[in-house]
Amino acid sequence: MRAGGADWLAELLLALGWLLLVGLQASQAANVTVAQESGVVREAENESEVDEEAENDNDVPENETPAEPEEEVQNKTVVKEVEFGMCTVTCGVGIREVILTNGCPGGESKCIVRVEECRGPVDCGWGKPISESLDSVRLSCVHISPENRFKYLWKLLKSDQQPVILSNDSAVLDIQRELHPMAFECDTLDNNEIVASIKFTVYTTSELQMRRTIRPDTDAVLVFVLTIGVIICIFVIFVLIFIIINWAAVKSFWGAKASATEIHSEMSSMKYKDSTSLDQSPTDMPGHEDDALSEWNE
């Protein structure tokens, strides 16, 4: 019985061992198949990603532009600062310069970009003729080139009456002098808008001659005063230059003069003291003589 039991136990152990070996082999085979399948999947995924990247590289969008160099981008982002020059007129219409203060070619600090129109107050007050003689006067409206860009309206002004519109529509008006002074006004219009207005006074021939005779006297006085002022200014400048160049000699001269005045003042003070002492000595002498006589009598 014991021998049969031992054989049975040995067979049971062998069966269990065989079953364990079969299970291990089956599990290893399953792991190998799973690993192979995962490797195949990964290779397929990698191949699909490579294909997508190649398609993306080959397909360039139509709207996309190639990248620009950094220097060009920096040049395009430079901020251009602009300032405006003075207007050529204080009223009406004129021109001014547009000056670029940053971003000029050649590294210049300032450069003129363009010239543009500028405007001031419409009323220009009373103007002067561009030319005149004893018989005629030539007047001009306020305008800039091109002259035909604007419209011009000339009017003859009369006191306590409506102005008379003249037929002349050009920028220049030639007037013959008459027996009475006349006043004219010119309006400069741009797109039916008044941009400048100026007035003129046309004097008679006698008034013009009188004004011309009065003006030379005033002009002569003005020229004389200006000439004297200029001469005085030049003289003062030369004196200052001489003092600066010869400062040592001037200093010694003034020092000697100051010492001479001091000596003179000291001498005058000494003379004053001597005179006072002489004035006091006669009053003192009788006292001494009386003392001497009293001693002699004794």
Side-chain angles (χ1 to χ4, degrees):
M1 292 292 292
R2 289 181 179 178
D7 294 335
W8 179 79
L9 183 60
E11 290 177 358
L12 181 62
L13 291 173
L14 289 171
L16 290 173
W18 183 76
L19 290 173
L20 288 172
L21 290 172
V22 171
L24 288 172
Q25 289 177 358
S27 62
Q28 288 177 358
N31 290 331
V32 169
T33 55
V34 169
Q36 290 177 354
E37 290 177 357
S38 62
V40 171
V41 171
R42 288 178 181 175
E43 289 178 358
E45 289 179 354
N46 291 331
E47 289 178 358
S48 63
E49 289 177 359
V50 170
D51 293 337
E52 289 179 358
E53 290 178 357
E55 291 178 357
N56 292 330
D57 293 334
N58 293 326
D59 297 336
V60 179
E62 295 180 357
N63 295 329
E64 185 177 355
T65 57
E68 297 180 354
E70 293 182 358
E71 294 180 357
E72 294 182 1
V73 174
Q74 291 178 356
N75 291 332
K76 288 183 178 180
T77 56
V78 172
V79 179
K80 293 184 178 181
E81 299 177 358
V82 176
E83 66 181 20
F84 300 95
M86 295 292 293
C87 191
T88 56
V89 295
T90 57
C91 64
V93 59
I95 58 174
R96 65 180 177 183
E97 295 176 346
V98 180
I99 303 170
L100 188 65
T101 59
N102 188 11
C104 293
E108 296 180 358
S109 59
K110 290 185 179 182
C111 54
I112 299 173
V113 179
R114 64 181 183 276
V115 177
E116 66 179 13
E117 179 183 312
C118 59
R119 295 184 181 182
V122 174
D123 189 6
C124 293
W126 295 88
K128 294 182 179 180
I130 56 176
S131 65
E132 60 180 348
S133 63
L134 294 176
D135 298 327
S136 63
V137 179
R138 173 166 287 188
L139 310 177
S140 176
C141 297
V142 178
H143 66 279
I144 57 175
S145 59
E147 182 179 328
N148 56 2
R149 173 190 163 187
F150 303 98
K151 292 182 179 179
Y152 308 99
L153 181 64
W154 286 96
K155 293 178 285 186
L156 175 61
L157 304 179
K158 295 184 177 181
S159 60
D160 300 332
Q161 292 182 12
Q162 291 292 330
V164 179
I165 298 175
L166 305 179
S167 60
N168 186 16
D169 58 353
S170 63
V172 179
L173 178 65
D174 292 323
I175 298 295
Q176 297 294 324
R177 296 186 187 276
E178 297 184 1
L179 299 177
H180 302 283
M182 296 179 294
F184 294 89
E185 182 179 6
C186 178
D187 295 335
T188 304
L189 291 86
D190 184 15
N191 294 327
N192 295 325
E193 179 186 357
I194 299 176
V195 295
S197 179
I198 188 169
K199 302 181 183 69
F200 300 95
T201 300
V202 179
Y203 297 98
T204 61
T205 304
S206 59
E207 288 176 344
L208 182 62
Q209 290 176 347
M210 186 180 297
R211 291 172 65 86
R212 287 183 176 179
T213 54
I214 293 172
R215 283 181 183 176
D217 297 335
T218 56
D219 294 341
V221 172
L222 182 61
V223 169
F224 176 75
V225 172
L226 290 175
T227 305
I228 295 299
V230 170
I231 292 171
I232 292 172
C233 291
I234 293 172
F235 176 75
V236 171
I237 290 170
F238 274 107
V239 169
L240 292 174
I241 292 171
F242 177 78
I243 291 172
I244 292 170
I245 293 172
N246 302 294
W247 176 247
V250 172
K251 189 175 181 181
S252 61
F253 173 76
W254 284 107
K257 191 173 182 180
S259 60
T261 51
E262 290 178 358
I263 293 170
H264 181 72
S265 61
E266 289 179 357
M267 291 179 65
S268 61
S269 62
M270 290 176 65
K271 287 180 180 179
Y272 178 74
K273 289 179 181 179
D274 293 339
S275 62
T276 53
S277 61
L278 290 173
D279 291 337
Q280 291 177 358
S281 59
T283 56
D284 295 337
M285 289 297 292
H288 292 290
E289 291 177 354
D290 294 338
D291 293 337
L293 289 173
S294 62
E295 288 178 357
W296 176 261
N297 292 326
E298 288 178 358

